[in-house]
Amino acid sequence: MAGHFEATPGGGAAVALDEVEIAILRSLAVQLLELIGPGDEPDEGADPLAALFAEGPSEPPTDPALARLFPEAYGDEDGELRAASAEFRRFTENDLRARKRDDALTVVRTLDALTISGDGGAVLELTGDECRKWLGALNDLRLTIGTRLEVSEEDEGQEGSLYRLPDSDPRKPMVMAYLWLGALQETLVETLMP
């Protein structure tokens, strides 16, 4: 189980993590939360229907990582598609941000609930719902890191340049995190497949 998820009864999954892995995952999830930004807390007694129809931004984010997390719906080839993308964003981005925040918060909360054993590790056990939220957060983390590293499809394969970075390259720690998150994500997907 060390280093990869395994299926558990009831549709969940478990993975053994050491203290360093737990700290890295938690730190990355917190940084993702900071990138996504705080959500609007509903006022006590606020109309839930009004919150449902609250409008979000109509312009794409200027930060490349946020633009990757919240992409244009219809591209930007012509004015008509730009207008449709703006309209779509206005009514969907707030909900998408809330879901991404919830996914990242689930990662933080499940990691915070772990009890580190005497050997410096713990087994993280997730329910089926927590697995889906972890998958979302792992995907968002990889998209964010990949955007910051300017990862291309050619970089991804076993022969890609990500695997040949010298230890002196300052990107190496983030590349290692990116690849590790990909492996975690892959094994988690495999555990959830019928």
Side-chain angles (χ1 to χ4, degrees):
M1 177 185 313
H4 64 276
F5 280 96
E6 292 182 6
T8 59
V15 63
L17 300 169
D18 64 33
E19 282 183 273
V20 172
E21 293 168 329
I22 294 166
I24 291 169
L25 283 166
R26 189 181 190 291
S27 174
L28 290 173
V30 168
Q31 290 176 56
L32 180 62
L33 285 165
E34 291 170 355
L35 178 67
I36 292 169
D40 293 329
E41 294 298 319
D43 295 331
E44 194 74 29
D47 179 9
L49 196 54
L52 182 64
F53 292 104
E55 293 183 14
S58 59
E59 294 297 318
T62 55
D63 181 309
L66 281 174
R68 185 72 176 102
L69 292 176
F70 305 104
E72 289 287 78
Y74 303 110
D76 61 344
E77 292 80 35
D78 64 41
E80 189 174 309
L81 288 178
R82 265 194 304 277
S85 281
E87 187 74 2
F88 184 80
R89 179 180 300 283
R90 202 161 52 102
F91 291 107
T92 60
E93 187 170 312
N94 285 345
D95 286 340
L96 184 55
R97 279 183 185 265
R99 185 183 56 77
K100 289 179 181 299
R101 264 191 300 278
D102 185 46
D103 292 349
L105 278 170
T106 297
V107 170
V108 172
R109 288 178 179 142
T110 54
L111 292 172
D112 285 350
L114 291 175
T115 302
I116 306 297
S117 67
D119 65 356
V123 174
L124 173 70
E125 294 186 28
L126 302 173
T127 65
D129 186 50
E130 289 169 337
C131 286
R132 286 181 287 285
K133 290 178 180 191
W134 263 75
L135 272 178
L138 288 171
N139 187 61
D140 291 343
L141 287 169
R142 290 193 78 240
L143 287 173
T144 301
I145 294 169
T147 300
R148 295 285 191 241
L149 292 171
E150 299 178 350
V151 173
S152 67
E153 286 185 34
E154 295 81 39
D155 295 327
E156 286 277 342
Q158 288 290 347
E159 300 302 318
S161 63
L162 291 180
Y163 291 90
R164 295 190 309 263
L165 284 178
D167 289 342
S168 61
D169 191 310
R171 298 172 298 160
K172 184 84 175 210
M174 286 313 296
V175 166
M176 298 306 293
Y178 176 81
L179 296 172
W180 175 58
L181 291 170
L184 279 176
Q185 183 180 21
E186 184 178 341
T187 63
L188 184 52
V189 167
E190 289 170 359
T191 66
L192 298 177
M193 294 179 72

mmCIF file of all heavy atoms in Angstrom, residues 6-33:
data_model
loop_
_atom_site.group_PDB
_atom_site.id
_atom_site.type_symbol
_atom_site.label_atom_id
_atom_site.label_comp_id
_atom_site.label_asym_id
_atom_site.label_seq_id
_atom_site.Cartn_x
_atom_site.Cartn_y
_atom_site.Cartn_z
ATOM 1 N N GLU A 6 -5.141 1.775 -2.477
ATOM 2 C CA GLU A 6 -5.745 0.460 -2.662
ATOM 3 C C GLU A 6 -7.200 0.564 -2.270
ATOM 4 O O GLU A 6 -7.566 1.335 -1.378
ATOM 5 C CB GLU A 6 -5.042 -0.588 -1.805
ATOM 6 C CG GLU A 6 -3.630 -0.875 -2.262
ATOM 7 C CD GLU A 6 -2.950 -1.961 -1.438
ATOM 8 O OE1 GLU A 6 -3.606 -2.570 -0.575
ATOM 9 O OE2 GLU A 6 -1.745 -2.177 -1.659
ATOM 10 N N ALA A 7 -8.037 -0.213 -2.947
ATOM 11 C CA ALA A 7 -9.471 -0.202 -2.672
ATOM 12 C C ALA A 7 -9.750 -0.750 -1.276
ATOM 13 O O ALA A 7 -9.042 -1.635 -0.788
ATOM 14 C CB ALA A 7 -10.206 -1.030 -3.715
ATOM 15 N N THR A 8 -10.773 -0.194 -0.645
ATOM 16 C CA THR A 8 -11.243 -0.689 0.643
ATOM 17 C C THR A 8 -12.712 -1.080 0.491
ATOM 18 O O THR A 8 -13.389 -0.604 -0.433
ATOM 19 C CB THR A 8 -11.096 0.379 1.751
ATOM 20 O OG1 THR A 8 -11.855 1.538 1.392
ATOM 21 C CG2 THR A 8 -9.643 0.757 1.971
ATOM 22 N N PRO A 9 -13.207 -1.930 1.376
ATOM 23 C CA PRO A 9 -14.624 -2.309 1.292
ATOM 24 C C PRO A 9 -15.520 -1.072 1.378
ATOM 25 O O PRO A 9 -15.217 -0.114 2.075
ATOM 26 C CB PRO A 9 -14.825 -3.207 2.520
ATOM 27 C CG PRO A 9 -13.458 -3.710 2.858
ATOM 28 C CD PRO A 9 -12.511 -2.617 2.463
ATOM 29 N N GLY A 10 -16.601 -1.101 0.631
ATOM 30 C CA GLY A 10 -17.542 0.005 0.668
ATOM 31 C C GLY A 10 -17.262 1.108 -0.340
ATOM 32 O O GLY A 10 -17.864 2.177 -0.289
ATOM 33 N N GLY A 11 -16.326 0.873 -1.261
ATOM 34 C CA GLY A 11 -16.073 1.854 -2.305
ATOM 35 C C GLY A 11 -15.075 2.937 -1.962
ATOM 36 O O GLY A 11 -14.954 3.925 -2.673
ATOM 37 N N GLY A 12 -14.337 2.765 -0.881
ATOM 38 C CA GLY A 12 -13.331 3.745 -0.501
ATOM 39 C C GLY A 12 -11.950 3.326 -0.957
ATOM 40 O O GLY A 12 -11.784 2.432 -1.779
ATOM 41 N N ALA A 13 -10.949 4.006 -0.404
ATOM 42 C CA ALA A 13 -9.561 3.703 -0.740
ATOM 43 C C ALA A 13 -8.677 4.080 0.440
ATOM 44 O O ALA A 13 -9.059 4.878 1.293
ATOM 45 C CB ALA A 13 -9.132 4.468 -1.990
ATOM 46 N N ALA A 14 -7.494 3.481 0.480
ATOM 47 C CA ALA A 14 -6.537 3.759 1.552
ATOM 48 C C ALA A 14 -5.140 3.839 0.966
ATOM 49 O O ALA A 14 -4.834 3.199 -0.050
ATOM 50 C CB ALA A 14 -6.590 2.665 2.621
ATOM 51 N N VAL A 15 -4.296 4.655 1.614
ATOM 52 C CA VAL A 15 -2.907 4.796 1.196
ATOM 53 C C VAL A 15 -2.062 5.054 2.436
ATOM 54 O O VAL A 15 -2.492 5.771 3.343
ATOM 55 C CB VAL A 15 -2.728 5.935 0.156
ATOM 56 C CG1 VAL A 15 -3.095 7.287 0.721
ATOM 57 C CG2 VAL A 15 -1.318 5.940 -0.422
ATOM 58 N N ALA A 16 -0.886 4.442 2.486
ATOM 59 C CA ALA A 16 0.057 4.704 3.580
ATOM 60 C C ALA A 16 0.900 5.910 3.192
ATOM 61 O O ALA A 16 1.431 5.970 2.083
ATOM 62 C CB ALA A 16 0.942 3.484 3.821
ATOM 63 N N LEU A 17 0.989 6.862 4.096
ATOM 64 C CA LEU A 17 1.770 8.083 3.864
ATOM 65 C C LEU A 17 2.717 8.295 5.023
ATOM 66 O O LEU A 17 2.364 8.010 6.178
ATOM 67 C CB LEU A 17 0.838 9.300 3.748
ATOM 68 C CG LEU A 17 -0.195 9.285 2.629
ATOM 69 C CD1 LEU A 17 -1.200 10.408 2.831
ATOM 70 C CD2 LEU A 17 0.487 9.406 1.274
ATOM 71 N N ASP A 18 3.908 8.828 4.724
ATOM 72 C CA ASP A 18 4.795 9.186 5.829
ATOM 73 C C ASP A 18 4.568 10.661 6.176
ATOM 74 O O ASP A 18 3.821 11.367 5.499
ATOM 75 C CB ASP A 18 6.259 8.869 5.510
ATOM 76 C CG ASP A 18 6.828 9.677 4.358
ATOM 77 O OD1 ASP A 18 6.438 10.847 4.170
ATOM 78 O OD2 ASP A 18 7.698 9.136 3.643
ATOM 79 N N GLU A 19 5.211 11.114 7.244
ATOM 80 C CA GLU A 19 4.994 12.488 7.720
ATOM 81 C C GLU A 19 5.332 13.537 6.671
ATOM 82 O O GLU A 19 4.637 14.554 6.549
ATOM 83 C CB GLU A 19 5.825 12.750 8.980
ATOM 84 C CG GLU A 19 5.245 12.155 10.238
ATOM 85 C CD GLU A 19 6.074 12.512 11.461
ATOM 86 O OE1 GLU A 19 7.040 11.782 11.745
ATOM 87 O OE2 GLU A 19 5.726 13.529 12.109
ATOM 88 N N VAL A 20 6.389 13.306 5.913
ATOM 89 C CA VAL A 20 6.792 14.272 4.886
ATOM 90 C C VAL A 20 5.732 14.335 3.792
ATOM 91 O O VAL A 20 5.350 15.425 3.341
ATOM 92 C CB VAL A 20 8.184 13.923 4.305
ATOM 93 C CG1 VAL A 20 8.524 14.801 3.121
ATOM 94 C CG2 VAL A 20 9.247 14.027 5.397
ATOM 95 N N GLU A 21 5.242 13.185 3.353
ATOM 96 C CA GLU A 21 4.209 13.157 2.315
ATOM 97 C C GLU A 21 2.943 13.860 2.789
ATOM 98 O O GLU A 21 2.315 14.611 2.038
ATOM 99 C CB GLU A 21 3.898 11.713 1.914
ATOM 100 C CG GLU A 21 5.051 11.035 1.201
ATOM 101 C CD GLU A 21 4.862 9.537 1.056
ATOM 102 O OE1 GLU A 21 4.222 8.909 1.930
ATOM 103 O OE2 GLU A 21 5.362 8.990 0.058
ATOM 104 N N ILE A 22 2.571 13.612 4.035
ATOM 105 C CA ILE A 22 1.392 14.271 4.609
ATOM 106 C C ILE A 22 1.585 15.777 4.613
ATOM 107 O O ILE A 22 0.696 16.538 4.210
ATOM 108 C CB ILE A 22 1.112 13.741 6.039
ATOM 109 C CG1 ILE A 22 0.701 12.264 5.982
ATOM 110 C CG2 ILE A 22 0.054 14.588 6.745
ATOM 111 C CD1 ILE A 22 0.718 11.554 7.323
ATOM 112 N N ALA A 23 2.765 16.227 5.042
ATOM 113 C CA ALA A 23 3.043 17.665 5.100
ATOM 114 C C ALA A 23 3.025 18.289 3.705
ATOM 115 O O ALA A 23 2.492 19.390 3.518
ATOM 116 C CB ALA A 23 4.384 17.916 5.785
ATOM 117 N N ILE A 24 3.575 17.601 2.721
ATOM 118 C CA ILE A 24 3.598 18.125 1.349
ATOM 119 C C ILE A 24 2.173 18.222 0.800
ATOM 120 O O ILE A 24 1.784 19.259 0.240
ATOM 121 C CB ILE A 24 4.483 17.258 0.436
ATOM 122 C CG1 ILE A 24 5.954 17.419 0.824
ATOM 123 C CG2 ILE A 24 4.265 17.598 -1.036
ATOM 124 C CD1 ILE A 24 6.884 16.415 0.156
ATOM 125 N N LEU A 25 1.405 17.151 0.950
ATOM 126 C CA LEU A 25 0.023 17.165 0.449
ATOM 127 C C LEU A 25 -0.795 18.276 1.100
ATOM 128 O O LEU A 25 -1.530 19.005 0.435
ATOM 129 C CB LEU A 25 -0.645 15.812 0.689
ATOM 130 C CG LEU A 25 -0.260 14.698 -0.261
ATOM 131 C CD1 LEU A 25 -0.720 13.348 0.272
ATOM 132 C CD2 LEU A 25 -0.847 14.960 -1.639
ATOM 133 N N ARG A 26 -0.643 18.415 2.411
ATOM 134 C CA ARG A 26 -1.403 19.450 3.127
ATOM 135 C C ARG A 26 -0.981 20.838 2.666
ATOM 136 O O ARG A 26 -1.812 21.704 2.413
ATOM 137 C CB ARG A 26 -1.206 19.302 4.634
ATOM 138 C CG ARG A 26 -2.135 20.210 5.420
ATOM 139 C CD ARG A 26 -1.932 20.097 6.914
ATOM 140 N NE ARG A 26 -2.978 20.776 7.627
ATOM 141 C CZ ARG A 26 -3.145 22.106 7.649
ATOM 142 N NH1 ARG A 26 -2.334 22.891 6.966
ATOM 143 N NH2 ARG A 26 -4.140 22.653 8.336
ATOM 144 N N SER A 27 0.315 21.063 2.550
ATOM 145 C CA SER A 27 0.817 22.361 2.119
ATOM 146 C C SER A 27 0.321 22.709 0.713
ATOM 147 O O SER A 27 -0.109 23.841 0.457
ATOM 148 C CB SER A 27 2.349 22.371 2.149
ATOM 149 O OG SER A 27 2.845 23.572 1.614
ATOM 150 N N LEU A 28 0.370 21.755 -0.194
ATOM 151 C CA LEU A 28 -0.098 22.003 -1.557
ATOM 152 C C LEU A 28 -1.598 22.299 -1.582
ATOM 153 O O LEU A 28 -2.053 23.190 -2.310
ATOM 154 C CB LEU A 28 0.233 20.817 -2.459
ATOM 155 C CG LEU A 28 1.710 20.618 -2.784
ATOM 156 C CD1 LEU A 28 1.922 19.307 -3.537
ATOM 157 C CD2 LEU A 28 2.261 21.793 -3.575
ATOM 158 N N ALA A 29 -2.388 21.561 -0.780
ATOM 159 C CA ALA A 29 -3.832 21.800 -0.732
ATOM 160 C C ALA A 29 -4.142 23.186 -0.170
ATOM 161 O O ALA A 29 -5.021 23.890 -0.673
ATOM 162 C CB ALA A 29 -4.521 20.714 0.091
ATOM 163 N N VAL A 30 -3.395 23.605 0.854
ATOM 164 C CA VAL A 30 -3.591 24.946 1.423
ATOM 165 C C VAL A 30 -3.223 26.016 0.393
ATOM 166 O O VAL A 30 -3.933 27.018 0.243
ATOM 167 C CB VAL A 30 -2.785 25.110 2.734
ATOM 168 C CG1 VAL A 30 -2.726 26.563 3.182
ATOM 169 C CG2 VAL A 30 -3.386 24.236 3.834
ATOM 170 N N GLN A 31 -2.141 25.800 -0.329
ATOM 171 C CA GLN A 31 -1.759 26.759 -1.373
ATOM 172 C C GLN A 31 -2.814 26.825 -2.476
ATOM 173 O O GLN A 31 -3.093 27.907 -3.014
ATOM 174 C CB GLN A 31 -0.398 26.384 -1.962
ATOM 175 C CG GLN A 31 0.749 26.605 -0.999
ATOM 176 C CD GLN A 31 2.065 26.130 -1.580
ATOM 177 O OE1 GLN A 31 2.450 26.569 -2.657
ATOM 178 N NE2 GLN A 31 2.742 25.231 -0.874
ATOM 179 N N LEU A 32 -3.419 25.685 -2.797
ATOM 180 C CA LEU A 32 -4.497 25.670 -3.784
ATOM 181 C C LEU A 32 -5.690 26.477 -3.278
ATOM 182 O O LEU A 32 -6.283 27.255 -4.030
ATOM 183 C CB LEU A 32 -4.902 24.229 -4.106
ATOM 184 C CG LEU A 32 -6.016 24.058 -5.137
ATOM 185 C CD1 LEU A 32 -5.605 24.623 -6.493
ATOM 186 C CD2 LEU A 32 -6.386 22.579 -5.252
ATOM 187 N N LEU A 33 -6.022 26.299 -2.010
ATOM 188 C CA LEU A 33 -7.116 27.079 -1.424
ATOM 189 C C LEU A 33 -6.828 28.577 -1.505
ATOM 190 O O LEU A 33 -7.717 29.372 -1.825
ATOM 191 C CB LEU A 33 -7.337 26.676 0.041
ATOM 192 C CG LEU A 33 -8.037 25.343 0.261
ATOM 193 C CD1 LEU A 33 -7.865 24.881 1.696
ATOM 194 C CD2 LEU A 33 -9.506 25.462 -0.111
#
